[in-house]
Amino acid sequence: MRKQDSGMSVPLRLAIILSGTLLLAFTYYHINYQNHLTEGGFVGLSLLGKYVLGISPSLSILILDIPVLIIAIIYKGKSFVVNTFISVVAFTVFYGLMERYSGWVIDLQDNLPVAALLSGVLTGLGAGMVLLGGGASGGDDILSVLISEWKGIKVGTVFILMDVIVLAFSLFYMPLRETLYTVMAVVVAGYVITFTTSLGRRKLVQAPKIPSAIAKTQEGTVNVNNAM
């Protein structure tokens, strides 16, 4: 079975990406939209379009993502773009199906701190899973990854900074109370993304250190014996 650079099999990579995307679609529709929480990044712009213009995020987010996907081909390669495209298309399908057929209403408007916490944890986990799978969940995520690699900043921190910019525009359309709770959700999501992605990196980075240490020890032993 063909494996990519991380040692993760292609079916497992695809399963992680789709699971993360499904979690994102569920959170954005059943928690953020139903409880009038907006979101940062391109998803935040698409949710603003839903509130203001009545345009479905399943369409607007695809339009926003396409130009960034083209740029990503140059800097991240085809594999990353293919994985991202799968996530973007899957999000469009998942969100569209939930928007049309889901009758489940999670009403937390009387307890927005809980809604914000759930949104942050689930969004961060979903986006982190997509990143672990070798892709991104949207155009803003691609930009965050590129900036993170360019500047050496944690990807979760970049997510927070970009989201806050979009949330600043949300103040023109959204009540201050909901926007502040969205900021809370964004901050939580940023930390969860950093934690989730770091779990995968630790396994990849730390594993080679053991053989390396053993090799150095053996080399030192040989030198001592030769000296004797």
Side-chain angles (χ1 to χ4, degrees):
M1 182 179 294
R2 185 172 66 88
K3 295 186 178 182
Q4 300 187 10
D5 295 339
S6 66
M8 188 183 299
S9 66
V10 175
L12 177 59
R13 184 182 293 272
L14 182 61
I16 292 175
I17 291 174
L18 291 178
S19 297
T21 304
L22 178 61
L23 186 58
L24 285 171
F26 174 87
T27 305
Y28 289 144
Y29 180 71
H30 288 95
I31 297 180
N32 289 44
Y33 176 68
Q34 290 184 355
N35 294 282
H36 303 292
L37 294 177
T38 185
E39 180 61 48
F42 285 3
V43 173
L45 293 176
S46 68
L47 289 175
L48 287 175
K50 173 71 174 181
Y51 292 132
V52 178
L53 302 175
I55 301 175
S56 172
S58 62
L59 175 62
S60 59
I61 197 170
L62 188 61
I63 296 174
L64 290 169
D65 284 338
I66 288 176
V68 183
L69 285 171
I70 296 174
I71 297 174
I73 294 177
I74 301 174
Y75 295 100
K76 295 296 291 180
K78 293 181 179 179
S79 177
F80 179 85
V81 172
V82 169
N83 291 334
T84 301
F85 184 75
I86 291 173
S87 177
V88 170
V89 173
F91 179 88
T92 303
V93 173
F94 291 150
Y95 192 98
L97 289 173
M98 292 179 188
E99 188 178 43
R100 185 168 184 176
Y101 297 110
S102 178
W104 190 10
V105 177
I106 302 178
D107 187 358
L108 294 172
Q109 293 188 49
D110 293 332
N111 201 346
L112 286 182
V114 174
L117 181 61
L118 281 175
S119 174
V121 172
L122 297 180
T123 297
L125 181 59
M129 290 172 65
V130 176
L131 289 173
L132 282 179
S137 57
D140 56 322
D141 294 7
I142 295 175
L143 292 178
S144 296
V145 170
L146 292 174
I147 294 173
S148 174
E149 294 176 353
W150 178 38
K151 291 294 187 179
I153 306 173
K154 291 181 180 179
V155 65
T157 302
V158 181
F159 271 66
I160 294 173
L161 294 175
M162 293 184 62
D163 287 349
V164 167
I165 294 175
V166 174
L167 290 173
F169 289 100
S170 300
L171 290 173
F172 291 100
Y173 308 100
M174 296 292 297
L176 178 62
R177 178 170 174 264
E178 282 78 2
T179 303
L180 290 177
Y181 279 118
T182 302
V183 172
M184 172 184 168
V186 165
V187 172
V188 172
Y191 282 108
V192 174
I193 288 171
T194 297
F195 175 76
T196 303
T197 54
S198 66
L199 290 178
R201 289 197 189 100
R202 285 172 188 168
K203 293 179 180 180
L204 295 175
V205 173
Q206 291 179 359
K209 291 183 179 179
I210 298 176
S212 178
I214 294 175
K216 289 181 179 179
T217 303
Q218 291 176 343
E219 182 180 352
T221 303
V222 173
N223 290 336
V224 171
N225 291 336
N226 288 339
M228 294 176 63

